[in-house]
């Protein structure tokens, strides 16, 4: 895996499929989709597309709003328990078929470091307790409690699965930003304490690390897994809603970093915010003019252009033609795609 492409820490990301499920279920409980996504900087149609990388800060805010609006504080954790924690994970070749839990945790933490997530984890062991400590790259500007519940659930389910009858939830202690987000049937509420917004901690008996259990080896990488793919910055900037765009400085503040830090990170990848935004708008304009039923004026507005002439100038720069001519050029293709059987 190309480490340089995945090392972008200014904009840690998560997969949109998780948030899509959170939104869908919250709406079934009576929440309003637009209110869940309010202020999240995401195009609503992102969740109609295949799973893709979206900034973790968007997940923090949207998942918190979903939990509040649905009236279910355990919303994210309940959904997180249904996902397989090891998707995309390939154990080291040096790992035996029956590793100890400690071996498995170390291997998993190395895997987590290679994917674009919002936490860095370390395992701290003392005489009696093992502490799995996750610290956020940067302090989130939105409440991270609901999103962190996914991590707690993933680790807990992994421990529970690997330990079998050794697992005892009463021996597990958790420190998390939003204790209400952790279901009591997972860990007793008396064992869940308030933590800071910088991360989480899970503590359990150190003796568990020596326990061995069968491990279903996955010897081949899942090349279709989004976790196996380098972060595509161009694709990342296509998920944003440019009709209410706060600018690159606003994005940096939203993500919990300084604008200059964001600019430096992008420069290390040989690009800048203006270029990424322009390429994202070019892609969306081409896609929407070809497949969308919105008017050209509305497409221009949704891309953040205040008037039709500004959008027309952008189209001439991108496609050497006007949006009207480009749509007419695409019309036969669109008619063929949507022709009745």
């Amino acid at each position: 895996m190309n480490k340089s492409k995945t090392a972008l820490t200014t904009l840690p990301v998560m997969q949109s499929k998780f948030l899509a499920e959170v939104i869908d279920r919250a709406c079934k409980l009576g929440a309003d989709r637009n209110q869940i996504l309010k202020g999240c900087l995401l195009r609503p149609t992102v969740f109609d597309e295949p799973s893709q990388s979206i900034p973790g800060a968007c997940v923090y805010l949207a998942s918190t709003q979903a939990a509040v609006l649905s009236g279910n504080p355990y919303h994210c954790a309940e959904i997180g328990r249904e996902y397989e924690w090891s998707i995309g994970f390939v154990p080291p070749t040096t790992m035996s078929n029956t590793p100890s839990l400690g071996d498995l945790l170390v291997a998993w933490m190395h895997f987590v470091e290679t994917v674009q997530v919002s936490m860095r984890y370390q395992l701290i062991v003392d005489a009696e307790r093992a502490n799995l400590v996750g610290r956020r790259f940067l302090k989130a500007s939105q409440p991270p409690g609901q999103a962190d519940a996914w991590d707690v659930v993933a680790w807990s389910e992994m421990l529970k699965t690997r330990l079998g009858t050794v697992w005892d939830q009463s021996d597990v202690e958790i420190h998390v930003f939003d204790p209400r987000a952790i279901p009591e049937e997972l860990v007793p509420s008396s064992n869940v304490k308030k933590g800071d917004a910088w991360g989480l901690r899970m503590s359990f008996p150190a003796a568990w690390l020596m326990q061995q259990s069968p491990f279903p080896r996955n010897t081949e990488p899942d090349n279709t897994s989004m976790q196996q793919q380098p972060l595509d910055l161009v694709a990342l900037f296509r998920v944003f809603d440019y009709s209410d765009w706060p600018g690159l400085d606003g994005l940096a503040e939203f993500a919990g970093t300084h604008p200059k830090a964001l600019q430096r990170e992008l420069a290390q990848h040989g690009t800048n915010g203006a270029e990424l935004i322009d390429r994202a708008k070019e892609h969306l304009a081409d896609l929407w003019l070809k497949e969308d039923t919105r008017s050209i004026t509305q497409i221009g507005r949704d891309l953040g252009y205040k008037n039709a002439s500004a959008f027309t100038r952008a189209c001439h720069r991108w496609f050497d033609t006007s949006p009207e001519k480009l749509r007419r050029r695409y019309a036969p293709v669109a008619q063929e795609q949507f022709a009745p059987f």
Side-chain angles (χ1 to χ4, degrees), residues 1 3 85-92 104-117 225 227-228:
M1 181 177 290
K3 183 68 175 177
W85 66 269
S86 61
I87 291 176
F89 172 58
V90 179
L104 184 58
L105 285 176
V106 171
W108 174 249
M109 285 189 288
H110 283 306
F111 165 68
V112 169
E113 288 178 359
T114 68
V115 298
Q116 196 64 22
V117 294
S225 170
Q227 292 180 332
Q228 295 289 330

Side-chain angles (χ1 to χ4, degrees), residues 2-9 231 233 263-272 275-276:
N2 189 329
K3 183 68 175 177
S4 65
K5 289 187 179 181
T6 61
L8 185 70
T9 58
L231 179 63
L233 285 171
Q263 292 171 6
R264 285 195 297 270
E265 292 280 2
L266 297 179
Q268 290 177 5
H269 288 258
T271 187
N272 57 66
E275 178 185 2
L276 290 170

Side-chain angles (χ1 to χ4, degrees), residues 8 68 88 96-98 138 191 254 258 265:
L8 185 70
V68 171
S96 70
N97 287 330
T98 56
L138 300 160
N191 290 11
F254 181 81
H258 193 279
E265 292 280 2

Side-chain angles (χ1 to χ4, degrees), residues 16-206:
S16 62
K17 69 174 183 178
F18 294 107
L19 187 53
E21 187 69 21
V22 168
I23 293 171
D24 288 345
R25 295 203 195 180
C27 289
K28 291 178 181 177
L29 293 173
D32 182 82
R33 182 184 180 93
N34 292 330
Q35 289 299 311
I36 293 174
L37 291 173
K38 186 176 181 180
C40 293
L41 306 185
L42 295 172
R43 288 188 293 108
T45 53
V46 163
F47 303 103
D48 300 326
E49 302 165 3
S51 185
Q52 57 195 301
S53 298
I54 58 176
C58 301
V59 180
Y60 297 152
L61 180 57
S63 60
T64 299
Q65 292 176 169
V68 171
L69 293 169
S70 68
N72 180 12
Y74 305 134
H75 191 63
C76 288
E78 290 174 353
I79 295 171
R81 295 179 75 173
E82 299 175 11
Y83 286 91
E84 171 54 51
W85 66 269
S86 61
I87 291 176
F89 172 58
V90 179
T93 56
T94 55
M95 181 179 286
S96 70
N97 287 330
T98 56
S100 69
L101 181 65
D103 293 334
L104 184 58
L105 285 176
V106 171
W108 174 249
M109 285 189 288
H110 283 306
F111 165 68
V112 169
E113 288 178 359
T114 68
V115 298
Q116 196 64 22
V117 294
S118 301
M119 292 272 197
R120 286 199 179 101
Y121 281 94
Q122 63 179 143
L123 186 64
I124 303 173
V125 184
D126 56 33
E128 297 183 354
R129 305 286 291 180
N131 297 275
L132 191 62
V133 181
R135 303 303 288 173
R136 207 172 310 286
F137 296 168
L138 300 160
K139 187 173 182 179
S141 55
Q142 291 79 36
Q146 288 291 323
D148 289 355
W150 282 330
D151 284 40
V152 171
V153 166
W155 290 111
S156 299
E157 292 294 332
M158 183 186 72
L159 291 172
K160 184 177 179 180
T161 301
R162 302 306 166 193
L163 290 169
T165 57
V166 176
W167 166 265
D168 184 348
Q169 62 180 10
S170 65
D171 280 338
V172 179
E173 296 180 358
I174 293 172
H175 287 74
V176 69
F177 180 77
D178 184 4
R180 299 174 305 162
I182 310 301
E184 186 165 1
E185 63 267 23
L186 185 69
V187 176
S189 58
S190 58
N191 290 11
V192 183
K193 310 297 183 184
K194 174 75 173 179
D196 61 34
W198 282 95
L200 56 89
R201 178 166 63 89
M202 179 180 293
S203 171
F204 53 88

